[in-house]
Each structure stands twice: as structure tokens, then as C-alpha cells.
Amino acid sequence: MSLKTVKKGTILQMSGELPTLFFKVVKGLLRSYTIDEKGKEHIFAFGPEGWIIGDVNAFMKNNKTELFIQAIEDTIYETRFIDLDALHGVPSKDQAIEIKLLMNRVAVLQRRVIMLISNTALERYEHFIDTYPGLIHRVPQRMIASYLGITPEALSKIRSQKARKS
């Protein structure tokens, strides 16, 4: 296992590359995002400590990735190549842990898709807080708004409404 350290702002993966790695965050915070044709960022997922982040869809289909992966804090990570062919037998202890982490990621993304199509902005914000406890203090408001699919101004209104209710 080889740990690597990167500074805040470092892009680890560019859209259009063939994904060969997943990134397991040991300390710090990564994000994956896309940039649409108008130049607007859309955050797909955050990768705090203990999470694996990567483009599963591109990896599974051997396509070029649509996702950028960037450190939004100074980050220590290890790169992982997940050999799916080796999983036909009994997985090793490390493989079992990685499968569990990836399945957690898939579950979070499934809930996220359902949430985006059916919940209000306030419910999406509350879901973000439940899914990523403590990240509201580590991530800029504009990134949280991007993740939620709303403007920073709308997020500011939601936060003040929530504060008044508390």
C-alpha cells in the first residue's frame, strides 16, 4: 500500500481520461464533479476519510471518465485498482473491505438520485448533513449548493430558514 499526499486544489483525475484508479481517502477530502457545456460545475460526490471515490461507470465500461476528482483539503490517499475478475472466488480481507466501501458508495448515490428527483431543496440539504456529518464546516457554501443542484443564494435562504426553526 502506497500513501500519497496532495495539496488542496490538486486535480487527481481529469474528465476525458481512462480511469485506472480509485482513491481511498485516509485523511482529507476529495470531490468528484463534472463541468457542463456552459462551464458550470456540478458536484457529484464528496470523499471524506474512509471513503473510496472514482468513476465506477467509466471503470466498469472501460470508457473515458466524465468526472474530475480534486482535493478540496490537503489529502492523504491511496490509489486502488479494483480487480473485479479476482472477485469470482472468496475475496481477501482487503477486497471484502473495498467491496463494502464501494457498495456504500453505490447506496449513497442511489439515495442521492432518488432524493434529487423527489425531494425539496431543504430535504436535500438535510440529507447532505446526514450523509456527510461535519462537512458543512469543511466545504465552501458554493460547493454544497452545487452538490444540491441549487444556487448559493438559495442555500443561504435554506440555512437561515433552518436556523430560525431550530
Side-chain angles (χ1 to χ4, degrees):
M1 168 172 61
S2 172
L3 296 179
K4 297 181 181 180
T5 303
V6 294
K7 294 286 185 195
K8 174 182 177 178
T10 302
I11 295 178
L12 302 171
Q13 174 180 287
M14 298 284 290
S15 177
E17 295 178 344
L18 282 175
T20 56
L21 304 171
F22 289 91
F23 303 91
K24 182 178 180 183
V25 179
V26 175
K27 183 173 180 0
L29 182 61
L30 300 178
R31 71 175 175 143
S32 61
Y33 64 98
T34 63
I35 300 176
D36 68 20
E37 61 280 348
K38 295 178 183 174
K40 183 177 179 192
E41 282 186 8
H42 300 277
I43 294 180
F44 183 64
F46 290 102
E49 290 86 358
W51 288 55
I52 290 178
I53 192 166
D55 190 331
V56 176
N57 185 53
F59 180 78
M60 294 295 292
K61 296 181 179 186
N62 201 27
N63 289 334
K64 291 182 178 178
T65 182
E66 297 178 75
L67 297 174
F68 292 86
I69 296 179
Q70 180 183 35
I72 57 176
E73 292 179 351
D74 291 347
T75 301
I76 300 170
Y77 70 93
E78 57 183 272
T79 54
R80 304 297 243 176
F81 177 80
I82 301 186
D83 184 0
L84 297 175
D85 294 331
L87 300 180
H88 293 298
V90 177
S92 70
K93 184 177 178 182
D94 285 344
Q95 288 172 325
I97 290 168
E98 289 176 1
I99 291 167
K100 197 172 201 176
L101 289 170
L102 284 172
M103 294 310 289
N104 181 60
R105 165 59 66 206
V106 171
V108 167
L109 292 176
Q110 179 178 319
R111 286 192 311 270
R112 177 170 158 70
V113 169
I114 292 168
M115 173 197 61
L116 286 172
I117 62 174
S118 62
N119 292 32
T120 67
L122 174 60
E123 291 168 332
R124 293 193 307 264
Y125 178 65
E126 289 171 342
H127 181 265
F128 173 84
I129 292 169
D130 290 341
T131 303
Y132 298 108
L135 249 56
I136 61 170
H137 305 294
R138 294 170 62 185
V139 177
Q141 183 165 314
R142 68 175 175 76
M143 288 186 185
I144 295 171
S146 171
Y147 179 84
L148 297 173
I150 60 177
T151 65
E153 295 79 15
L155 177 57
S156 183
K157 287 178 186 175
I158 289 168
R159 290 173 101 167
S160 62
Q161 287 172 355
K162 189 165 173 56
R164 281 193 302 267
K165 288 181 182 178
S166 297

